[in-house]
Amino acid sequence: MYDQEKFYELLELNYLLEHLASKASLDATKEAALSLRPFTEIYDISKELEKTDEAFVLSAKYASPSFGKAPSPNGILTRAEVGAVLTMSELLSISNTLRVIRTVKEWRENISDHSVVYLNELFGLLSPNKFLE
């Protein structure tokens, strides 16, 4: 068997992931890009390639929605859960994140492309809240 970390080093995976992360507009997306690891099972590889293809086709046909520079709300939400008082800056950050979620959800709902299968699950996880926004 081979040592995966040594293999990743040989492939210079960290440089590839840093380059990928530099193209991401959201903080959480940058973190996710840096933590990626190659798939080893053919089923997983095929499924991820299908998702990538669907994302490319949607972007090419309908132009991508703007994500802006919404920071990850995880820290703010954790503070809110423990009862901390949020600052105006934190509330505006949450509002911006909710706006991005609403915009992306509306973008997908306005597209009548029925060939999208794998990404619909991800779009279905988005829950806009215009009132809270």
Side-chain angles (χ1 to χ4, degrees):
M1 197 81 172
Y2 61 91
D3 179 16
Q4 283 185 334
E5 290 305 316
K6 200 170 247 187
F7 184 65
Y8 298 157
E9 197 174 306
L10 180 66
L11 288 174
E12 297 184 343
L13 182 64
N14 58 330
Y15 297 112
L16 293 170
L17 296 179
E18 286 172 16
H19 182 70
L20 176 64
S22 74
K23 303 297 182 192
S25 60
L26 304 176
D27 292 339
T29 311
K30 289 179 185 194
E31 293 171 21
L34 291 171
S35 68
L36 286 174
R37 292 295 174 258
F39 290 96
T40 57
E41 299 297 322
I42 192 70
Y43 173 78
D44 296 330
I45 294 167
S46 295
K47 187 174 179 181
E48 294 304 311
L49 284 172
E50 286 292 329
K51 286 181 188 177
T52 303
D53 185 57
E54 285 182 2
F56 174 76
V57 168
L58 285 178
S59 295
K61 279 185 179 177
Y62 306 103
S64 299
S66 173
F67 293 101
K69 289 284 185 183
S72 173
N74 294 343
I76 299 170
L77 295 176
T78 301
R79 286 179 23 82
E81 283 179 337
V82 297
V85 176
L86 301 181
T87 66
M88 186 59 69
S89 174
E90 290 171 323
L91 290 172
L92 288 171
S93 177
I94 294 295
S95 175
N96 188 33
T97 301
L98 288 169
R99 181 193 54 76
V100 169
I101 291 169
R102 178 179 48 82
T103 302
V104 171
K105 185 80 170 193
E106 288 173 353
W107 175 81
R108 176 58 185 116
E109 288 171 352
N110 290 328
I111 295 173
S112 62
D113 194 326
H114 300 293
S115 66
V116 176
V117 177
Y118 294 103
L119 291 181
N120 279 339
E121 180 181 325
L122 297 174
F123 284 113
L125 296 173
L126 297 175
S127 297
N129 188 331
K130 183 70 173 157
F131 176 76
L132 185 59
E133 182 186 335

